[in-house]
Amino acid sequence: MSVDGLPLSERLARQIEAGGPISVAHFMGEANQHYYATRDPLGMDGDFTTAPEISQMFGELIGLCLADVWMRSGRRPGALYAELGPGRGTLAADALRAMESAAFAPRVHFVETSPVLRERQRALLPHIVHHDGIEQLPETGPLLVVANEFFDALPVRQSIRVQDEWRERVVLASRSEEGIRFVPAVGYRRIESGLPAIAATADDGHIIETPLAGAEAAYALAHRIAKQGGAAIVVDYGYEGPAIGDTLQAVRDHRFADPFADPGEVDLTAHVDFTMIGNMARQAGLRVLGPVGQGTFLGELGIDARAAQLAQASPERAEEVEAARLRLTSPDAMGTLFKAMAWVHPAWADPAGFGV
């Protein structure tokens, strides 16, 4: 149910009936806000699994990477670990344990709006501090930030080519005995700015996605790092834009689903334009490394050696550890579709894992 007591589908249908079609971005934003606020979507009993849930190696290597950056940048006091969209807190727990082994114990702050996930996170890490947005993070002390599968869940504007112009893609609603049906359509609003140069040569029906919410979040975070010092590691699935194509997708019970069916009951994502969010960091004055494939990133951080250590310590888990390593790094799994990028304050050292 939504905050006003109506099912989300009903509320969206009434919005459309009263004010006309809504944008894809609005639909995606409303759907995901409800989705994440009402469940823990992770794991075999949920809808999808993220890298930290596959293996402890993922979080451990990122934690050691950030600890190394902090040490090589002068061990500056007051540093804090901040994670955007931290899921169950698994990545942070593994990262902080690895940091502690390197004699680094930063304060921990999460940007998380889901009450369900906040409860899971507190059960695992009782001393964390929660925030609703990036702007609420502490304004003093260097920021060491992790954003794993955060940007892909932020709403994107979709523009569709219609003859000689671009229109915003919208969502319509219709009612029948079977219920409410939502479908995408071409809107009346013309898009006359903010499109890349490749838009001029696109064919009819082609779609361009503009990550307005992602760019805003990236800009806000980058400015905080530029002001306070530190670095961010962003890991997500995506591409180096600009590009043409519809990447909006839905996942339910670990299977792809119709993005416009059952809003708020499926996980909606769009591939991340790493060029766009990287440019936001550059505008703030940060140094940008990558993107590189997740497999390359974890390989340079030492996942092979860590996997060997875990297998040696627990021989009965050797096959499980190797399967997890391959899932995280292989090109036919998460190794190339998922990418890593770093944003670094000019006075800080470059993180390992990016071939520098």
Side-chain angles (χ1 to χ4, degrees), residues 82-236:
E83 191 169 339
L84 312 184
R88 292 173 169 172
T90 306
L91 191 161
D94 293 334
L96 292 166
R97 185 178 63 253
M99 288 177 173
E100 186 176 1
S101 72
F104 179 39
R107 298 170 292 157
V108 183
H109 293 258
F110 282 177
V111 174
E112 177 62 74
T113 59
S114 167
V116 176
L117 290 175
R118 281 190 175 194
E119 185 175 346
R120 293 294 299 265
Q121 293 156 11
R122 283 198 191 98
L124 188 61
L125 299 164
H127 301 299
I128 56 176
V129 179
H130 280 116
H131 306 282
D132 290 328
I134 293 168
E135 70 282 354
Q136 295 179 3
L137 288 172
E139 296 183 3
T140 58
L143 298 170
L144 295 169
V145 184
V146 177
N148 179 61
E149 293 198 51
F150 169 77
F151 284 97
D152 64 76
L154 299 181
V156 296
R157 183 184 74 187
Q158 289 193 329
S159 304
I160 185 167
R161 180 84 172 192
V162 181
Q163 296 181 354
D164 61 344
E165 64 185 22
W166 286 89
R167 303 272 192 88
E168 183 162 28
R169 200 176 188 216
V170 298
V171 179
L172 307 177
S174 61
R175 296 180 184 270
S176 68
E177 292 181 357
E178 288 74 31
I180 301 169
R181 181 168 177 258
F182 297 93
V183 294
V186 177
Y188 293 108
R189 180 186 172 209
R190 295 180 62 181
I191 304 297
E192 299 179 340
S193 63
L195 293 173
I198 59 172
T201 58
D203 295 330
D204 272 10
H206 278 173
I207 289 172
I208 289 179
E209 294 175 342
T210 307
L212 299 178
E216 181 180 354
Y219 192 71
L221 176 61
H223 270 267
R224 295 297 296 276
I225 294 173
K227 177 182 177 182
Q228 296 172 227
I233 293 178
V234 178
V235 183
D236 224 314

Side-chain angles (χ1 to χ4, degrees), residues 298-355:
L298 295 176
E300 291 192 11
L301 292 181
I303 192 171
D304 294 346
R306 181 56 178 149
Q309 287 177 340
L310 291 174
Q312 184 176 14
S314 302
E316 71 280 4
R317 294 184 56 230
E319 290 187 8
E320 173 192 339
V321 170
E322 177 61 7
R325 186 192 70 81
L326 290 173
R327 187 172 176 186
L328 292 172
T329 62
S330 293
D332 58 353
M334 301 174 71
T336 54
L337 173 61
F338 282 76
K339 296 174 174 58
M341 172 180 276
W343 307 343
V344 192
H345 187 278
W348 278 62
D350 287 337
F354 297 91

